Amino acid sequence: MSQAIRIHQTGGPSVMQLDSVRPEEPGAGQVRIRHEAIGVNYIDTYHRSGLYPVPLPSGIGLEAAGHVDAIGDGVTQFAIGDRVAYGNGPIGAYAEFNTVAAGRLARIPDAVSLEQAAAIMLKGMTARYLLKETYPVKAGDTVLYHAAAGGVGLLMCQWARDLGVTLIGTASTSEKCALALSMGAAHMINSSQENIAMRVREITDGQGVPVVYDGVGRDTFEISLDCLQPRGLLASFGNASGAVTGVDLGILTQKGSVYVTRPSLAHYVASDRALAANTADVFDAVARGAVSIQINQRYALKDAVQAHIDLEGRKTTGASILAP
């Protein structure tokens, strides 16, 4: 038997419990991984709360790294003991073991540690699709990113700098602003003290930005629209403050015929080929030093409840990981 965090009902962090489970045997085309490090991501709180429904009872977590423990029929690309990671499910990463389709795994390069891989897979793939696919940035662009001191945010700061892009970030404290600046943000706006849209206009000489990357959701939706250039794009990719609802499409005309998209990583890595291209780019960025993952919180698997309390309480910066 092994241990896994499971939810039998949706709700606050306390609905997560540590259960004893039997590790699943891999079927054809599958690999079982013994986890060494597990990533904690905001989407996990959506599954736990019921915002993103999952069949109950359920495991939780989409991202982990470890060693290949068992191999199903037909798997030839991995061997027992290989270092591998995944960042797009299957759900159930908060556990000592998980069984994953071989095509959804990435081999971890020697230059990347297991902890780094567990902390960067989902966040790194998210940063990559936002910067290179949702709105493909080019050198000289100026962009806005909300919550720049978070796990994805610190990667965006670094990767934008590597691509020659000026990133304006927001954060709720002066300490978080300083952290994001140290990681590559060109400008930071303290959202608890400054008018975000006004500061963006000042920084861009009144022009606004061509794209806003917004993982906050309800609290920043209209602010983000106010920061855009005419025909700019709002990429609303998360709901940290709650879901955006009840939108009158006429507001998009009023704000300058702007666009809004609600992207999801799953649609950008739906095929094994797309996933492999994304993860290869992420690991390349880490290996050549263009980005580094800041693991600022570590918890034991049994302390997953506290990890979620801290994450939702905005007490974390960078990445958080669980150790099984």
Side-chain angles (χ1 to χ4, degrees), residues 4-19 40-42 44-51 58-60 94 299-315 322:
I5 297 292
R6 294 180 64 79
I7 54 173
H8 298 262
Q9 60 182 331
T10 56
S14 63
V15 303
M16 294 188 293
Q17 63 184 56
L18 190 65
D19 289 353
V40 178
N41 296 283
Y42 222 98
D44 304 341
T45 71
Y46 303 158
H47 292 142
R48 188 210 72 225
S49 70
L51 180 63
S58 175
I60 191 167
Y94 289 18
Y299 306 85
L301 178 62
K302 65 181 178 62
D303 295 325
V305 169
Q306 188 61 51
H308 277 218
I309 290 172
D310 292 347
L311 182 62
E312 292 181 298
R314 303 174 76 177
K315 296 178 180 178
L322 305 175

mmCIF file of all heavy atoms in Angstrom, residues 4-19 40-42 44-51 58-60 94 299-315 322:
data_model
loop_
_atom_site.group_PDB
_atom_site.id
_atom_site.type_symbol
_atom_site.label_atom_id
_atom_site.label_comp_id
_atom_site.label_asym_id
_atom_site.label_seq_id
_atom_site.Cartn_x
_atom_site.Cartn_y
_atom_site.Cartn_z
ATOM 1 N N ALA A 4 -1.755 8.560 -0.635
ATOM 2 C CA ALA A 4 -2.187 9.527 -1.643
ATOM 3 C C ALA A 4 -3.193 10.478 -1.014
ATOM 4 O O ALA A 4 -3.987 10.092 -0.160
ATOM 5 C CB ALA A 4 -2.833 8.813 -2.829
ATOM 6 N N ILE A 5 -3.140 11.739 -1.425
ATOM 7 C CA ILE A 5 -4.150 12.712 -1.027
ATOM 8 C C ILE A 5 -5.361 12.524 -1.942
ATOM 9 O O ILE A 5 -5.223 12.499 -3.168
ATOM 10 C CB ILE A 5 -3.627 14.149 -1.146
ATOM 11 C CG1 ILE A 5 -2.450 14.378 -0.187
ATOM 12 C CG2 ILE A 5 -4.748 15.150 -0.879
ATOM 13 C CD1 ILE A 5 -2.825 14.366 1.271
ATOM 14 N N ARG A 6 -6.545 12.396 -1.326
ATOM 15 C CA ARG A 6 -7.760 12.225 -2.106
ATOM 16 C C ARG A 6 -8.851 13.136 -1.559
ATOM 17 O O ARG A 6 -8.812 13.560 -0.401
ATOM 18 C CB ARG A 6 -8.223 10.756 -2.075
ATOM 19 C CG ARG A 6 -7.243 9.825 -2.782
ATOM 20 C CD ARG A 6 -7.676 8.378 -2.759
ATOM 21 N NE ARG A 6 -8.914 8.128 -3.473
ATOM 22 C CZ ARG A 6 -9.022 8.014 -4.798
ATOM 23 N NH1 ARG A 6 -7.954 8.161 -5.567
ATOM 24 N NH2 ARG A 6 -10.189 7.744 -5.356
ATOM 25 N N ILE A 7 -9.803 13.442 -2.434
ATOM 26 C CA ILE A 7 -10.972 14.214 -2.019
ATOM 27 C C ILE A 7 -12.214 13.359 -2.234
ATOM 28 O O ILE A 7 -12.373 12.729 -3.278
ATOM 29 C CB ILE A 7 -11.088 15.558 -2.777
ATOM 30 C CG1 ILE A 7 -11.065 15.349 -4.295
ATOM 31 C CG2 ILE A 7 -9.974 16.509 -2.362
ATOM 32 C CD1 ILE A 7 -11.354 16.620 -5.094
ATOM 33 N N HIS A 8 -13.069 13.320 -1.227
ATOM 34 C CA HIS A 8 -14.317 12.571 -1.298
ATOM 35 C C HIS A 8 -15.505 13.515 -1.419
ATOM 36 O O HIS A 8 -16.636 13.074 -1.652
ATOM 37 C CB HIS A 8 -14.460 11.670 -0.075
ATOM 38 C CG HIS A 8 -13.378 10.631 0.022
ATOM 39 N ND1 HIS A 8 -13.558 9.334 -0.405
ATOM 40 C CD2 HIS A 8 -12.094 10.714 0.454
ATOM 41 C CE1 HIS A 8 -12.432 8.650 -0.219
ATOM 42 N NE2 HIS A 8 -11.534 9.475 0.303
ATOM 43 N N GLN A 9 -15.238 14.809 -1.253
ATOM 44 C CA GLN A 9 -16.221 15.858 -1.477
ATOM 45 C C GLN A 9 -15.449 17.119 -1.827
ATOM 46 O O GLN A 9 -14.244 17.199 -1.580
ATOM 47 C CB GLN A 9 -17.075 16.090 -0.228
ATOM 48 C CG GLN A 9 -16.269 16.517 0.993
ATOM 49 C CD GLN A 9 -17.131 16.685 2.220
ATOM 50 O OE1 GLN A 9 -18.306 17.001 2.124
ATOM 51 N NE2 GLN A 9 -16.551 16.483 3.404
ATOM 52 N N THR A 10 -16.122 18.087 -2.417
ATOM 53 C CA THR A 10 -15.459 19.337 -2.768
ATOM 54 C C THR A 10 -15.643 20.359 -1.650
ATOM 55 O O THR A 10 -16.560 20.260 -0.838
ATOM 56 C CB THR A 10 -15.988 19.892 -4.096
ATOM 57 O OG1 THR A 10 -17.415 20.057 -4.001
ATOM 58 C CG2 THR A 10 -15.664 18.956 -5.235
ATOM 59 N N GLY A 11 -14.759 21.342 -1.630
ATOM 60 C CA GLY A 11 -14.849 22.368 -0.598
ATOM 61 C C GLY A 11 -13.496 22.987 -0.329
ATOM 62 O O GLY A 11 -12.640 23.067 -1.218
ATOM 63 N N GLY A 12 -13.290 23.442 0.909
ATOM 64 C CA GLY A 12 -12.044 24.080 1.303
ATOM 65 C C GLY A 12 -10.904 23.091 1.433
ATOM 66 O O GLY A 12 -11.065 21.874 1.220
ATOM 67 N N PRO A 13 -9.716 23.579 1.809
ATOM 68 C CA PRO A 13 -8.539 22.704 1.907
ATOM 69 C C PRO A 13 -8.752 21.476 2.786
ATOM 70 O O PRO A 13 -8.171 20.417 2.528
ATOM 71 C CB PRO A 13 -7.473 23.632 2.501
ATOM 72 C CG PRO A 13 -7.864 24.991 2.026
ATOM 73 C CD PRO A 13 -9.363 25.003 2.046
ATOM 74 N N SER A 14 -9.598 21.588 3.813
ATOM 75 C CA SER A 14 -9.759 20.481 4.756
ATOM 76 C C SER A 14 -10.416 19.253 4.148
ATOM 77 O O SER A 14 -10.391 18.175 4.771
ATOM 78 C CB SER A 14 -10.574 20.935 5.973
ATOM 79 O OG SER A 14 -11.883 21.306 5.592
ATOM 80 N N VAL A 15 -10.994 19.350 2.948
ATOM 81 C CA VAL A 15 -11.611 18.161 2.340
ATOM 82 C C VAL A 15 -10.553 17.186 1.835
ATOM 83 O O VAL A 15 -10.866 16.029 1.536
ATOM 84 C CB VAL A 15 -12.582 18.511 1.189
ATOM 85 C CG1 VAL A 15 -13.674 19.454 1.669
ATOM 86 C CG2 VAL A 15 -11.851 19.097 -0.014
ATOM 87 N N MET A 16 -9.305 17.627 1.732
ATOM 88 C CA MET A 16 -8.238 16.713 1.309
ATOM 89 C C MET A 16 -7.843 15.821 2.474
ATOM 90 O O MET A 16 -7.665 16.290 3.595
ATOM 91 C CB MET A 16 -7.024 17.507 0.817
ATOM 92 C CG MET A 16 -7.281 18.304 -0.448
ATOM 93 S SD MET A 16 -5.780 19.056 -1.129
ATOM 94 C CE MET A 16 -5.366 20.256 0.145
ATOM 95 N N GLN A 17 -7.705 14.532 2.202
ATOM 96 C CA GLN A 17 -7.289 13.612 3.252
ATOM 97 C C GLN A 17 -6.262 12.638 2.715
ATOM 98 O O GLN A 17 -6.208 12.345 1.516
ATOM 99 C CB GLN A 17 -8.493 12.871 3.828
ATOM 100 C CG GLN A 17 -9.232 11.982 2.846
ATOM 101 C CD GLN A 17 -10.482 11.361 3.473
ATOM 102 O OE1 GLN A 17 -11.352 12.068 3.983
ATOM 103 N NE2 GLN A 17 -10.550 10.028 3.431
ATOM 104 N N LEU A 18 -5.419 12.162 3.614
ATOM 105 C CA LEU A 18 -4.364 11.218 3.252
ATOM 106 C C LEU A 18 -4.911 9.805 3.378
ATOM 107 O O LEU A 18 -5.266 9.349 4.468
ATOM 108 C CB LEU A 18 -3.156 11.410 4.170
ATOM 109 C CG LEU A 18 -1.873 10.679 3.783
ATOM 110 C CD1 LEU A 18 -1.329 11.203 2.464
ATOM 111 C CD2 LEU A 18 -0.828 10.854 4.885
ATOM 112 N N ASP A 19 -5.009 9.112 2.235
ATOM 113 C CA ASP A 19 -5.566 7.759 2.196
ATOM 114 C C ASP A 19 -4.477 6.737 1.883
ATOM 115 O O ASP A 19 -3.467 7.056 1.236
ATOM 116 C CB ASP A 19 -6.644 7.641 1.120
ATOM 117 C CG ASP A 19 -7.932 8.385 1.470
ATOM 118 O OD1 ASP A 19 -8.028 8.876 2.613
ATOM 119 O OD2 ASP A 19 -8.819 8.467 0.603
ATOM 120 N N VAL A 40 2.673 21.894 -6.782
ATOM 121 C CA VAL A 40 1.409 22.443 -6.294
ATOM 122 C C VAL A 40 1.038 23.627 -7.184
ATOM 123 O O VAL A 40 1.853 24.546 -7.361
ATOM 124 C CB VAL A 40 1.523 22.901 -4.826
ATOM 125 C CG1 VAL A 40 0.218 23.525 -4.344
ATOM 126 C CG2 VAL A 40 1.919 21.732 -3.933
ATOM 127 N N ASN A 41 -0.166 23.598 -7.739
ATOM 128 C CA ASN A 41 -0.581 24.632 -8.677
ATOM 129 C C ASN A 41 -1.979 25.136 -8.354
ATOM 130 O O ASN A 41 -2.784 24.429 -7.734
ATOM 131 C CB ASN A 41 -0.560 24.064 -10.107
ATOM 132 C CG ASN A 41 0.836 23.684 -10.540
ATOM 133 O OD1 ASN A 41 1.640 24.538 -10.881
ATOM 134 N ND2 ASN A 41 1.141 22.392 -10.510
ATOM 135 N N TYR A 42 -2.269 26.355 -8.803
ATOM 136 C CA TYR A 42 -3.565 26.937 -8.451
ATOM 137 C C TYR A 42 -4.725 26.131 -9.025
ATOM 138 O O TYR A 42 -5.801 26.067 -8.432
ATOM 139 C CB TYR A 42 -3.645 28.405 -8.913
ATOM 140 C CG TYR A 42 -4.294 29.265 -7.865
ATOM 141 C CD1 TYR A 42 -3.527 30.015 -6.987
ATOM 142 C CD2 TYR A 42 -5.674 29.288 -7.701
ATOM 143 C CE1 TYR A 42 -4.121 30.777 -5.989
ATOM 144 C CE2 TYR A 42 -6.271 30.044 -6.715
ATOM 145 C CZ TYR A 42 -5.498 30.792 -5.869
ATOM 146 O OH TYR A 42 -6.088 31.528 -4.876
ATOM 147 N N ASP A 44 -5.081 23.113 -8.928
ATOM 148 C CA ASP A 44 -5.425 22.067 -7.961
ATOM 149 C C ASP A 44 -6.534 22.545 -7.020
ATOM 150 O O ASP A 44 -7.400 21.756 -6.620
ATOM 151 C CB ASP A 44 -4.204 21.676 -7.133
ATOM 152 C CG ASP A 44 -3.017 21.223 -7.978
ATOM 153 O OD1 ASP A 44 -3.230 20.870 -9.156
ATOM 154 O OD2 ASP A 44 -1.886 21.231 -7.456
ATOM 155 N N THR A 45 -6.504 23.833 -6.689
ATOM 156 C CA THR A 45 -7.554 24.360 -5.800
ATOM 157 C C THR A 45 -8.898 24.409 -6.510
ATOM 158 O O THR A 45 -9.944 24.304 -5.868
ATOM 159 C CB THR A 45 -7.197 25.766 -5.281
ATOM 160 O OG1 THR A 45 -7.296 26.742 -6.336
ATOM 161 C CG2 THR A 45 -5.787 25.786 -4.689
ATOM 162 N N TYR A 46 -8.893 24.553 -7.831
ATOM 163 C CA TYR A 46 -10.146 24.550 -8.584
ATOM 164 C C TYR A 46 -10.769 23.158 -8.584
ATOM 165 O O TYR A 46 -11.995 23.014 -8.477
ATOM 166 C CB TYR A 46 -9.922 24.991 -10.035
ATOM 167 C CG TYR A 46 -9.297 26.351 -10.218
ATOM 168 C CD1 TYR A 46 -8.644 26.672 -11.409
ATOM 169 C CD2 TYR A 46 -9.334 27.324 -9.230
ATOM 170 C CE1 TYR A 46 -8.069 27.920 -11.606
ATOM 171 C CE2 TYR A 46 -8.759 28.559 -9.423
ATOM 172 C CZ TYR A 46 -8.114 28.862 -10.618
ATOM 173 O OH TYR A 46 -7.539 30.085 -10.813
ATOM 174 N N HIS A 47 -9.944 22.135 -8.726
ATOM 175 C CA HIS A 47 -10.452 20.755 -8.654
ATOM 176 C C HIS A 47 -10.975 20.455 -7.249
ATOM 177 O O HIS A 47 -12.027 19.846 -7.085
ATOM 178 C CB HIS A 47 -9.346 19.763 -9.019
ATOM 179 C CG HIS A 47 -8.939 19.821 -10.456
ATOM 180 N ND1 HIS A 47 -7.637 19.684 -10.878
ATOM 181 C CD2 HIS A 47 -9.668 20.023 -11.586
ATOM 182 C CE1 HIS A 47 -7.582 19.784 -12.188
ATOM 183 N NE2 HIS A 47 -8.802 19.999 -12.646
ATOM 184 N N ARG A 48 -10.230 20.884 -6.256
ATOM 185 C CA ARG A 48 -10.623 20.625 -4.874
ATOM 186 C C ARG A 48 -11.929 21.340 -4.503
ATOM 187 O O ARG A 48 -12.790 20.791 -3.814
ATOM 188 C CB ARG A 48 -9.512 21.100 -3.935
ATOM 189 C CG ARG A 48 -9.680 20.738 -2.470
ATOM 190 C CD ARG A 48 -9.026 21.783 -1.585
ATOM 191 N NE ARG A 48 -9.783 23.025 -1.566
ATOM 192 C CZ ARG A 48 -9.255 24.238 -1.676
ATOM 193 N NH1 ARG A 48 -7.941 24.404 -1.827
ATOM 194 N NH2 ARG A 48 -10.032 25.312 -1.651
ATOM 195 N N SER A 49 -12.090 22.572 -4.954
ATOM 196 C CA SER A 49 -13.268 23.368 -4.586
ATOM 197 C C SER A 49 -14.507 22.996 -5.384
ATOM 198 O O SER A 49 -15.627 23.321 -4.988
ATOM 199 C CB SER A 49 -12.977 24.854 -4.787
ATOM 200 O OG SER A 49 -12.870 25.164 -6.176
ATOM 201 N N GLY A 50 -14.321 22.354 -6.536
ATOM 202 C CA GLY A 50 -15.438 22.030 -7.408
ATOM 203 C C GLY A 50 -15.633 23.015 -8.532
ATOM 204 O O GLY A 50 -16.517 22.831 -9.371
ATOM 205 N N LEU A 51 -14.802 24.067 -8.586
ATOM 206 C CA LEU A 51 -14.903 25.020 -9.701
ATOM 207 C C LEU A 51 -14.688 24.312 -11.029
ATOM 208 O O LEU A 51 -15.387 24.581 -12.011
ATOM 209 C CB LEU A 51 -13.886 26.147 -9.521
ATOM 210 C CG LEU A 51 -13.862 27.218 -10.610
ATOM 211 C CD1 LEU A 51 -15.192 27.978 -10.661
ATOM 212 C CD2 LEU A 51 -12.699 28.192 -10.391
ATOM 213 N N SER A 58 -11.697 11.337 -5.764
ATOM 214 C CA SER A 58 -10.665 11.609 -6.762
ATOM 215 C C SER A 58 -9.334 11.899 -6.094
ATOM 216 O O SER A 58 -9.280 12.407 -4.969
ATOM 217 C CB SER A 58 -11.068 12.819 -7.611
ATOM 218 O OG SER A 58 -10.045 13.183 -8.514
ATOM 219 N N GLY A 59 -8.275 11.591 -6.824
ATOM 220 C CA GLY A 59 -6.972 12.121 -6.468
ATOM 221 C C GLY A 59 -6.937 13.593 -6.828
ATOM 222 O O GLY A 59 -7.922 14.166 -7.319
ATOM 223 N N ILE A 60 -5.802 14.222 -6.607
ATOM 224 C CA ILE A 60 -5.662 15.635 -6.914
ATOM 225 C C ILE A 60 -4.217 15.900 -7.312
ATOM 226 O O ILE A 60 -3.303 15.177 -6.909
ATOM 227 C CB ILE A 60 -6.107 16.500 -5.715
ATOM 228 C CG1 ILE A 60 -6.226 17.974 -6.102
ATOM 229 C CG2 ILE A 60 -5.185 16.294 -4.521
ATOM 230 C CD1 ILE A 60 -6.951 18.808 -5.054
ATOM 231 N N TYR A 94 -0.727 14.121 -6.243
ATOM 232 C CA TYR A 94 -0.465 14.202 -4.805
ATOM 233 C C TYR A 94 -0.468 12.778 -4.241
ATOM 234 O O TYR A 94 -1.371 12.349 -3.541
ATOM 235 C CB TYR A 94 -1.544 15.009 -4.092
ATOM 236 C CG TYR A 94 -1.572 16.508 -4.317
ATOM 237 C CD1 TYR A 94 -0.920 17.113 -5.379
ATOM 238 C CD2 TYR A 94 -2.291 17.321 -3.439
ATOM 239 C CE1 TYR A 94 -0.980 18.476 -5.566
ATOM 240 C CE2 TYR A 94 -2.353 18.690 -3.611
ATOM 241 C CZ TYR A 94 -1.701 19.272 -4.675
ATOM 242 O OH TYR A 94 -1.766 20.634 -4.862
ATOM 243 N N TYR A 299 6.664 21.287 1.384
ATOM 244 C CA TYR A 299 5.779 20.660 2.356
ATOM 245 C C TYR A 299 5.880 19.144 2.208
ATOM 246 O O TYR A 299 6.163 18.628 1.122
ATOM 247 C CB TYR A 299 4.308 21.045 2.118
ATOM 248 C CG TYR A 299 4.019 22.522 2.055
ATOM 249 C CD1 TYR A 299 4.171 23.231 0.848
ATOM 250 C CD2 TYR A 299 3.562 23.219 3.165
ATOM 251 C CE1 TYR A 299 3.888 24.584 0.775
ATOM 252 C CE2 TYR A 299 3.259 24.574 3.099
ATOM 253 C CZ TYR A 299 3.430 25.250 1.903
ATOM 254 O OH TYR A 299 3.136 26.597 1.822
ATOM 255 N N ALA A 300 5.611 18.438 3.297
ATOM 256 C CA ALA A 300 5.427 16.993 3.204
ATOM 257 C C ALA A 300 4.078 16.713 2.557
ATOM 258 O O ALA A 300 3.155 17.532 2.623
ATOM 259 C CB ALA A 300 5.478 16.368 4.596
ATOM 260 N N LEU A 301 3.951 15.562 1.913
ATOM 261 C CA LEU A 301 2.685 15.197 1.274
ATOM 262 C C LEU A 301 1.525 15.299 2.260
ATOM 263 O O LEU A 301 0.443 15.786 1.908
ATOM 264 C CB LEU A 301 2.786 13.773 0.710
ATOM 265 C CG LEU A 301 1.529 13.210 0.053
ATOM 266 C CD1 LEU A 301 1.126 14.031 -1.161
ATOM 267 C CD2 LEU A 301 1.752 11.742 -0.341
ATOM 268 N N LYS A 302 1.741 14.893 3.488
ATOM 269 C CA LYS A 302 0.667 14.905 4.484
ATOM 270 C C LYS A 302 0.221 16.324 4.837
ATOM 271 O O LYS A 302 -0.848 16.510 5.441
ATOM 272 C CB LYS A 302 1.130 14.181 5.760
ATOM 273 C CG LYS A 302 2.275 14.840 6.497
ATOM 274 C CD LYS A 302 2.682 14.035 7.725
ATOM 275 C CE LYS A 302 3.863 14.672 8.454
ATOM 276 N NZ LYS A 302 3.566 16.010 8.964
ATOM 277 N N ASP A 303 1.020 17.312 4.458
ATOM 278 C CA ASP A 303 0.706 18.708 4.774
ATOM 279 C C ASP A 303 0.122 19.451 3.570
ATOM 280 O O ASP A 303 0.206 20.680 3.483
ATOM 281 C CB ASP A 303 1.957 19.430 5.273
ATOM 282 C CG ASP A 303 2.464 18.859 6.589
ATOM 283 O OD1 ASP A 303 1.619 18.452 7.412
ATOM 284 O OD2 ASP A 303 3.690 18.807 6.782
ATOM 285 N N ALA A 304 -0.496 18.716 2.652
ATOM 286 C CA ALA A 304 -1.087 19.348 1.468
ATOM 287 C C ALA A 304 -2.150 20.377 1.838
ATOM 288 O O ALA A 304 -2.311 21.387 1.144
ATOM 289 C CB ALA A 304 -1.682 18.279 0.555
ATOM 290 N N VAL A 305 -2.889 20.132 2.926
ATOM 291 C CA VAL A 305 -3.907 21.100 3.360
ATOM 292 C C VAL A 305 -3.260 22.454 3.632
ATOM 293 O O VAL A 305 -3.752 23.499 3.182
ATOM 294 C CB VAL A 305 -4.653 20.585 4.613
ATOM 295 C CG1 VAL A 305 -5.507 21.699 5.227
ATOM 296 C CG2 VAL A 305 -5.533 19.394 4.258
ATOM 297 N N GLN A 306 -2.155 22.461 4.349
ATOM 298 C CA GLN A 306 -1.470 23.719 4.651
ATOM 299 C C GLN A 306 -0.934 24.379 3.379
ATOM 300 O O GLN A 306 -0.961 25.614 3.252
ATOM 301 C CB GLN A 306 -0.319 23.485 5.630
ATOM 302 C CG GLN A 306 0.323 24.770 6.149
ATOM 303 C CD GLN A 306 -0.651 25.641 6.917
ATOM 304 O OE1 GLN A 306 -1.323 25.172 7.825
ATOM 305 N NE2 GLN A 306 -0.763 26.916 6.538
ATOM 306 N N ALA A 307 -0.464 23.568 2.446
ATOM 307 C CA ALA A 307 0.024 24.118 1.171
ATOM 308 C C ALA A 307 -1.081 24.889 0.462
ATOM 309 O O ALA A 307 -0.853 25.976 -0.084
ATOM 310 C CB ALA A 307 0.558 22.998 0.287
ATOM 311 N N HIS A 308 -2.296 24.356 0.467
ATOM 312 C CA HIS A 308 -3.419 25.042 -0.181
ATOM 313 C C HIS A 308 -3.845 26.279 0.603
ATOM 314 O O HIS A 308 -4.198 27.305 0.005
ATOM 315 C CB HIS A 308 -4.590 24.078 -0.343
ATOM 316 C CG HIS A 308 -4.489 23.205 -1.547
ATOM 317 N ND1 HIS A 308 -5.569 22.850 -2.318
ATOM 318 C CD2 HIS A 308 -3.412 22.622 -2.128
ATOM 319 C CE1 HIS A 308 -5.168 22.084 -3.318
ATOM 320 N NE2 HIS A 308 -3.863 21.918 -3.217
ATOM 321 N N ILE A 309 -3.815 26.194 1.925
ATOM 322 C CA ILE A 309 -4.146 27.373 2.742
ATOM 323 C C ILE A 309 -3.180 28.511 2.426
ATOM 324 O O ILE A 309 -3.597 29.667 2.226
ATOM 325 C CB ILE A 309 -4.096 27.012 4.240
ATOM 326 C CG1 ILE A 309 -5.252 26.079 4.612
ATOM 327 C CG2 ILE A 309 -4.146 28.282 5.098
ATOM 328 C CD1 ILE A 309 -5.165 25.522 6.021
ATOM 329 N N ASP A 310 -1.910 28.207 2.349
ATOM 330 C CA ASP A 310 -0.912 29.238 2.061
ATOM 331 C C ASP A 310 -1.063 29.787 0.649
ATOM 332 O O ASP A 310 -0.959 30.999 0.424
ATOM 333 C CB ASP A 310 0.496 28.670 2.247
ATOM 334 C CG ASP A 310 0.808 28.345 3.703
ATOM 335 O OD1 ASP A 310 0.038 28.782 4.591
ATOM 336 O OD2 ASP A 310 1.823 27.654 3.948
ATOM 337 N N LEU A 311 -1.317 28.895 -0.311
ATOM 338 C CA LEU A 311 -1.445 29.323 -1.700
ATOM 339 C C LEU A 311 -2.638 30.249 -1.874
ATOM 340 O O LEU A 311 -2.532 31.328 -2.466
ATOM 341 C CB LEU A 311 -1.583 28.095 -2.602
ATOM 342 C CG LEU A 311 -1.680 28.344 -4.109
ATOM 343 C CD1 LEU A 311 -0.413 29.008 -4.628
ATOM 344 C CD2 LEU A 311 -1.940 27.036 -4.856
ATOM 345 N N GLU A 312 -3.787 29.847 -1.354
ATOM 346 C CA GLU A 312 -4.988 30.658 -1.513
ATOM 347 C C GLU A 312 -4.950 31.912 -0.640
ATOM 348 O O GLU A 312 -5.619 32.902 -0.941
ATOM 349 C CB GLU A 312 -6.226 29.825 -1.194
ATOM 350 C CG GLU A 312 -6.478 28.727 -2.215
ATOM 351 C CD GLU A 312 -7.724 27.922 -1.921
ATOM 352 O OE1 GLU A 312 -7.783 27.280 -0.845
ATOM 353 O OE2 GLU A 312 -8.644 27.934 -2.760
ATOM 354 N N GLY A 313 -4.141 31.890 0.419
ATOM 355 C CA GLY A 313 -3.999 33.057 1.278
ATOM 356 C C GLY A 313 -2.960 34.042 0.780
ATOM 357 O O GLY A 313 -2.639 35.002 1.478
ATOM 358 N N ARG A 314 -2.425 33.794 -0.412
ATOM 359 C CA ARG A 314 -1.440 34.681 -1.051
ATOM 360 C C ARG A 314 -0.199 34.838 -0.184
ATOM 361 O O ARG A 314 0.433 35.886 -0.139
ATOM 362 C CB ARG A 314 -2.064 36.052 -1.366
ATOM 363 C CG ARG A 314 -3.290 35.958 -2.249
ATOM 364 C CD ARG A 314 -3.981 37.275 -2.451
ATOM 365 N NE ARG A 314 -3.263 38.123 -3.395
ATOM 366 C CZ ARG A 314 -3.689 39.325 -3.790
ATOM 367 N NH1 ARG A 314 -4.806 39.824 -3.315
ATOM 368 N NH2 ARG A 314 -2.983 40.043 -4.645
ATOM 369 N N LYS A 315 0.167 33.745 0.511
ATOM 370 C CA LYS A 315 1.336 33.760 1.367
ATOM 371 C C LYS A 315 2.561 33.170 0.684
ATOM 372 O O LYS A 315 3.635 33.079 1.301
ATOM 373 C CB LYS A 315 1.045 32.980 2.653
ATOM 374 C CG LYS A 315 -0.045 33.601 3.515
ATOM 375 C CD LYS A 315 -0.328 32.750 4.756
ATOM 376 C CE LYS A 315 -1.418 33.358 5.612
ATOM 377 N NZ LYS A 315 -1.737 32.517 6.795
ATOM 378 N N LEU A 322 5.482 19.380 -2.891
ATOM 379 C CA LEU A 322 5.227 18.386 -1.853
ATOM 380 C C LEU A 322 6.262 17.271 -1.982
ATOM 381 O O LEU A 322 6.643 16.895 -3.097
ATOM 382 C CB LEU A 322 3.838 17.776 -2.001
ATOM 383 C CG LEU A 322 2.640 18.722 -2.036
ATOM 384 C CD1 LEU A 322 1.347 17.921 -2.326
ATOM 385 C CD2 LEU A 322 2.512 19.483 -0.738
#
